[in-house]
Amino acid sequence: MAEQHTPRSLIVTYYGAYGRESAGSVPVAALVRLLGAVGVDAPSVRSSVSRLKRRGFLVPGRTEEGAAGYALSPEARQLLDDGDRRIYEPPAPRLDDGWVLAVFSVPEPERHKRHLLRSRLARLGFGTAAPGVWIAPARLYDETRHTLERMHLGSYVDLFRGDHLGFTPTAEAVARWWDLAGIAKQHEEFLDLHEPVLRSWQAGRTVTPQDAYRDYLLALDSWRQLPYADPGLPAELLPEGWPGGRSAAVFGELHARLREAGAEFARS
């Protein structure tokens, strides 16, 4: 996880954290101020909003006062709602939960969709069990189905639930299906950047709404990538000293300490 807080990513993170509290549009001027608090200049905000509009993530509208603004599209709301379950409410993984398999076949004339499918499944946290066969913990089924339907890719994919019955021990198979070393590195990068921020708040730093908003939005922007890179495997399948629990605890405490204080700044 390269620590690059792009304007577009930060706008998505803002809407995920605070922008759903109002059913109406967020004024463009307010978006410029809100993103300015985390170091994004006005032209970058406006160009990123335009790209998110073209992608169908944001839809233009007017505030009650008549100012131009942008609201989430219904598809974007579902995307963020699905993400909430991963980002804020990850269940404790259990080995007996089983797996979901995605088996796909794409006709050669539409081979560009093969790459799209692979990249989307990877972003959902799937590992590769074999060519054309992708695997993830079974709890990711609903989100996977929503995503494939939203992207009109469902006709190329069959989804199955099942257990791993051998012959390779499951812990060894998991190490083939996912790049566990790469995922662990992303957790360590998150900890390197945001654990010192948490310690500064634990040391009695005065909580101001703008500081809380800035530190929370940057931590969330980093963290929200991790529950997708890391599918949340049972502890007995992971290497000793796995850093995922520690990084989740750091984000959880930052969320508990800063989210509501930051909301005061966002609402103002």
Side-chain angles (χ1 to χ4, degrees):
M1 178 183 61
E3 184 65 12
Q4 294 181 342
H5 298 289
T6 67
R8 186 167 61 180
S9 176
L10 285 164
I11 290 169
V12 172
T13 299
Y14 160 74
Y15 272 96
Y18 301 116
R20 283 176 287 174
E21 292 184 353
S22 169
S25 298
V26 179
V28 176
L31 287 172
V32 168
R33 289 195 300 274
L34 288 160
L35 274 295
V38 290
V40 182
D41 60 36
S44 297
V45 172
R46 295 180 188 279
S47 64
S48 296
V49 165
S50 294
R51 286 195 294 272
L52 288 167
K53 175 188 169 187
R54 287 196 297 272
R55 291 179 57 192
F57 187 87
L58 296 177
V59 292
R62 293 279 173 181
T63 68
E64 292 180 0
E65 295 77 21
Y70 288 89
L72 291 166
S73 68
E75 294 79 10
R77 282 188 177 273
Q78 184 185 76
L79 178 68
L80 293 173
D81 290 346
D82 284 342
D84 284 353
R85 287 185 280 276
R86 290 215 198 192
I87 294 166
Y88 303 112
E89 307 165 8
R94 301 183 309 170
L95 192 56
D96 60 2
D97 288 343
W99 306 92
V100 59
L101 293 176
V103 181
F104 65 84
S105 177
V106 179
E108 187 60 25
E110 298 179 272
R111 59 183 177 274
H112 64 284
K113 292 187 177 178
R114 194 176 302 140
H115 171 73
L116 182 60
L117 260 169
R118 289 173 181 150
S119 62
R120 183 55 54 176
L121 289 171
R123 288 177 64 183
L124 284 166
F126 277 71
T128 310
V133 181
W134 292 63
I135 188 167
R139 70 177 181 280
L140 301 186
Y141 164 75
D142 287 335
E143 185 180 359
T144 300
R145 187 177 189 93
H146 292 162
T147 299
L148 295 175
E149 288 174 343
R150 187 165 57 243
M151 300 187 71
H152 307 292
L153 294 171
S155 61
Y156 305 101
V157 183
D158 286 303
L159 297 175
F160 302 87
R161 289 185 189 230
D163 300 316
H164 180 241
L165 301 177
F167 295 93
T168 305
T170 304
E172 293 181 22
V174 159
R176 285 201 321 264
W177 300 337
W178 282 276
D179 176 11
L180 295 181
I183 296 170
K185 183 180 178 182
Q186 292 184 58
H187 283 293
E188 296 288 1
E189 289 174 349
F190 177 86
L191 287 164
D192 288 345
L193 287 158
H194 298 288
E195 198 168 33
V197 175
L198 175 59
R199 284 198 293 265
S200 76
W201 288 103
Q202 290 171 329
R205 178 176 162 193
T206 301
V207 179
T208 67
Q210 184 165 345
D211 285 349
Y213 169 85
R214 182 192 63 242
D215 286 355
Y216 179 65
L217 202 73
L218 293 175
L220 177 59
D221 194 55
S222 298
W223 172 256
R224 71 181 180 86
Q225 314 299 328
L226 264 169
Y228 289 90
D230 183 343
L233 300 170
E236 54 264 53
L237 301 181
L238 294 169
E240 188 175 351
W242 183 254
R246 193 167 128 233
S247 66
V250 166
F251 174 72
E253 187 166 350
L254 284 168
H255 175 74
R257 283 176 175 267
L258 303 181
R259 198 265 174 199
E260 286 307 312
E264 184 180 338
F265 175 77
R267 285 191 291 266
S268 71

